């Protein structure tokens, strides 16, 4: 969403201990179906330090490289797994109180 990359980049610049900044993903058509509404509810996580992020996030390349990036043998769940390794390496994951992206479950 407008300005999100700048805000998350500024946050990473101000917090050298944070490897990943993410925000609030919103379902574009939340009220179109129960499935869409459940997606939107699932993505409504609190701001602050987080255990993982989804695929739409800003990552510090040095941290990504340090843990050797994504595992090629995973077909799903690669972002949470990457975040586990980042946290084990001493990095932090942070969810900002900002709208980040719109998703279309259709």
């Amino acid at each position: 969403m407008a300005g999100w990359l700048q805000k998350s980049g500024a946050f990473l610049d101000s917090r050298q201990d944070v490897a990943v900044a993410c925000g609030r993903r919103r379902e574009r058509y939340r009220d179109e179906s129960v499935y869409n509404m459940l997606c939107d509810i699932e993505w409504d996580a609190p701001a602050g330090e987080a255990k993982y992020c989804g695929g739409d996030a800003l990552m510090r390349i040095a941290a990504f490289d340090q843990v050797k990036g994504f595992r090629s043998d995973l077909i799903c769940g690669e972002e949470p797994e990457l975040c586990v390794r980042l946290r084990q390496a001493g990095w932090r994951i942070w969810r900002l109180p900002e709208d980040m992206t719109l998703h279309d479950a259709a």
Side-chain angles (χ1 to χ4, degrees):
M1 314 239 337
W4 189 82
L5 281 175
Q6 293 79 10
K7 290 175 185 175
S8 58
F11 181 81
L12 287 181
D13 286 344
S14 73
R15 294 288 306 265
Q16 296 301 309
D17 59 326
V18 175
V20 179
C22 58
R24 173 72 158 94
R25 178 191 294 156
R26 300 235 177 230
E27 177 56 38
R28 183 182 301 267
Y29 303 109
R30 182 185 200 280
D31 298 324
E32 292 295 313
S33 72
V34 172
Y35 175 75
N36 289 24
M37 181 176 53
L38 289 173
C39 287
D40 195 68
I41 290 169
E42 179 183 354
W43 298 326
D44 191 13
E49 191 163 8
K51 290 189 176 197
Y52 63 90
C53 68
D56 39 1
L58 187 63
M59 296 186 186
R60 190 179 302 279
I61 192 68
F64 184 83
D65 286 347
Q66 178 186 353
V67 299
K68 311 269 191 277
F70 292 113
R71 285 181 36 189
S72 63
D73 61 327
L74 296 179
I75 60 170
C76 65
E78 60 274 14
E79 293 90 3
E81 190 280 330
L82 172 69
C83 289
V84 167
R85 290 184 287 121
L86 286 166
R87 289 192 331 270
Q88 287 173 342
W91 293 98
R92 300 172 92 179
I93 315 302
W94 212 271
R95 189 176 314 280
L96 302 176
E98 306 284 341
D99 286 351
M100 177 180 57
T101 55
L102 285 175
H103 181 272
D104 186 349

